[in-house]
Amino acid sequence: MTDLHTDYLGLRLKSPIVASPSPLTGELDTIIELERYGAGAIVLPSLFEEQIEHEANEIDRLLSVNAESFGEATDFFPDVDGYNSGVDRYLELVETAKGAVDVPVIASLNGASIGGWLRYGSLLEDAGADAVELNLYTVAADPIVSASTLESEQFGLVAILADELKIPLTVKISPYYSSLASFVVAMQEAGAAGVVMFNRFYQPDLDLETLGVEPRLALSTPEEMRLPLRWTGILREHVGMSIAASTGVHSGYDVAKLVLVGADVAMATSSLLRNGASHVATIEAQLRDWMVEHDYESVDQMRGAVRSEAAADPAGFERANYIGNLASYTSRHFGSHSIGLKST
């Protein structure tokens, strides 16, 4: 029997297949299903500081409007002490999930300020979260703010939060840093126990009838897995912290590829939204079949088996791949009469 156990953030997981944030991980019933079908850990949807603060401000506003108009006015408003705010609901989800499943429950936090990160990070820890995934969802659109300034702020915030929390902190990042390898190494030095590659931004679209900017949710495709595959293989040699590969994980063969280049876990979202929680079992079966066919007894044995080729000379490796891909596409689609090729 193949052994799927893996270590992630100092936690021993029964499988490298992790259910990452989605509506499926936001409901207790589906969290239980995900564990039953084989998920090694559950990452809850992000708790956004802005949403919490906005909700709290709205409650204060509603409670204060006309409160002094007449004597019985306060009877029309809810009791603040009993109001179930966004953070209360989230903390309740952490607590109930921890009581319902045996796999690690990882809370996800998207903070906007040092105070917010510290306050809500501590609350998540107190609620029983096994780890906190810090979602660095930042669109650097201000031309006045330099890359070094933005990155320095993020390093500082991670260092403060990592020092404050007693549970592991992992950082979910985008692929858009100018020197990604340097950034990830610096995150480890700041105290992060792991990195999740990558945050997948949902891009807006334009409605040509209303001329309004509309949110458009597009689920990932398996081809998108190549980006975390590339960077996991490159970075595995340079960091000792955990690496989670995310985006485009749709099958057990995707998981196998990511583990082979050095990932500790592979995180799935879109494939589970498309196929339901039971798809975890399909991914696991495919991974086991591949391992048996290729004589791997455990995930630990597989991990990093092919990362050295990319890491030894990543620049040359990527240039060779690029040239090879162009040549392959040209010859396949245009035959021997394409530009740069001569018929013989």
Side-chain angles (χ1 to χ4, degrees), residues 32-339:
I32 294 172
E33 284 187 23
L34 288 165
E35 182 201 30
R36 177 159 56 87
Y37 285 115
I42 309 292
V43 186
L44 304 182
S46 281
L47 177 64
F48 282 81
E49 181 187 346
E50 294 93 334
Q51 292 176 325
I52 300 165
E53 299 301 335
H54 174 74
E55 186 171 350
N57 291 337
E58 283 297 293
I59 296 168
D60 290 340
R61 184 184 66 80
L62 290 172
L63 288 173
S64 62
V65 172
N66 295 327
E68 303 301 327
S69 296
F70 54 95
E72 289 111 0
T74 53
D75 294 338
F76 291 94
F77 299 106
D79 180 4
V80 177
D81 293 335
Y83 188 85
N84 189 20
S85 70
V87 69
D88 291 332
R89 289 192 298 271
Y90 196 91
L91 295 174
E92 182 181 355
L93 177 62
V94 174
E95 292 173 353
T96 55
K98 279 295 298 176
V101 298
D102 293 326
V103 297
V105 174
I106 301 172
S108 178
L109 174 62
N110 193 313
S113 66
I114 294 178
W117 284 22
L118 290 176
R119 177 187 174 193
Y120 300 121
S122 296
L123 288 172
L124 295 172
E125 180 180 55
D126 293 342
D130 293 290
V132 170
E133 181 180 286
L134 190 60
N135 194 328
L136 292 180
Y137 190 94
T138 301
V139 178
D142 188 346
I144 298 177
V145 180
S146 67
S148 59
T149 298
L150 178 62
E151 292 177 10
S152 294
E153 290 176 355
Q154 293 181 343
F155 296 147
L157 291 168
V158 169
I160 292 171
L161 189 57
D163 184 63
E164 181 72 18
L165 297 179
K166 298 180 179 64
I167 57 176
L169 173 70
T170 186
V171 182
K172 190 171 188 177
I173 63 172
S174 81
Y176 301 126
Y177 294 93
S178 55
S179 180
L180 184 60
S182 175
F183 182 82
V184 171
V185 170
M187 277 295 173
Q188 176 177 264
E189 293 172 350
V195 61
V196 181
M197 300 186 294
F198 291 103
N199 202 334
R200 186 170 177 267
F201 292 161
Y202 295 113
Q203 309 294 354
D205 197 0
L206 185 66
D207 188 316
L208 290 176
E209 297 303 321
T210 66
L211 301 186
V213 177
E214 301 287 342
R216 300 285 189 223
L217 175 61
L219 299 180
S220 74
T221 64
E223 288 74 21
E224 293 179 62
M225 185 269 297
R226 296 177 187 177
L227 182 63
L229 179 78
R230 171 192 183 187
W231 280 105
T232 299
I234 291 173
L235 286 168
R236 182 72 283 175
E237 295 286 344
H238 300 292
V239 296
M241 64 178 174
S242 295
I243 295 179
S246 179
T247 298
V249 178
H250 288 254
S251 71
Y253 311 112
D254 297 332
V255 177
K257 291 177 182 179
L258 292 167
V259 172
L260 285 168
V261 297
D264 297 293
V265 298
M267 295 188 167
T269 302
S270 293
S271 62
L272 303 185
L273 288 174
R274 279 197 180 100
N275 302 292
S278 63
H279 190 60
V280 174
T282 301
I283 295 175
E284 179 182 309
Q286 292 169 340
L287 175 61
R288 288 188 185 276
D289 288 346
W290 187 91
M291 291 173 66
V292 170
E293 183 179 351
H294 293 83
D295 298 322
Y296 282 103
E297 296 180 357
S298 70
V299 165
D300 289 339
Q301 181 189 12
M302 286 175 59
R303 187 177 301 104
V306 298
R307 72 176 186 266
S308 58
E309 181 182 8
D313 182 13
F317 177 74
E318 289 304 324
R319 284 184 61 80
N321 267 347
Y322 182 71
I323 295 169
N325 281 334
L326 288 179
S328 172
Y329 184 87
T330 300
S331 60
R332 183 170 64 252
H333 290 274
F334 299 102
S336 60
H337 296 289
S338 10
I339 295 174

